[in-house]
Amino acid sequence: MSARTAYLGRDSNITYQLLDSGVVKDLSNLSQIDLVFGVTTKVEGTSGSITPIDFTTNTDRMVLKLGDQSVSSGSYPNVEVIVYDGDNPSGLVWGTISLVIKANPYTGS
């Protein structure tokens, strides 16, 4: 899968569907989703919240809203997606996604 791009300071939402054996996973039982960009950067989304990770509005997808997050610009080919529910309170590594975070093209920040 090719890398998706988010721009800091912009509404560049990215949508994913998590699959389980090729079938779209219902996310309504999840309490939290984390994106781990590396040793020092993690973005956390919780049930009922629509930023920075929305899996509540439509329970068959997660929408990444990373424009106002403090993730450094750069290429992140192996961002871990970790999901939490009653059966996995310590988190289950679902897999990885590839993201590119870019500075706002109009302000450079």
Side-chain angles (χ1 to χ4, degrees), residues 5-75:
T5 302
Y7 291 91
L8 299 173
R10 293 288 176 202
D11 296 325
S12 51
N13 299 344
I14 300 171
T15 302
Y16 286 97
Q17 289 186 309
L18 301 183
L19 303 177
D20 185 8
S21 299
V23 177
V24 175
K25 178 77 173 155
D26 177 14
L27 307 178
S28 63
N29 67 322
L30 297 181
S31 58
Q32 181 174 322
I33 297 177
D34 291 345
L35 299 179
V36 180
F37 287 81
V39 176
T40 60
T41 305
K42 178 174 88 169
V43 174
E44 177 182 299
T46 56
S47 178
S49 177
I50 60 168
T51 57
I53 304 170
D54 180 4
F55 55 97
T56 301
T57 302
N58 294 299
T59 60
D60 65 342
R61 66 198 72 185
M62 68 174 184
V63 180
L64 309 182
K65 300 175 179 184
L66 303 175
D68 64 349
Q69 297 302 299
S70 57
V71 177
S72 298
S73 295
S75 178

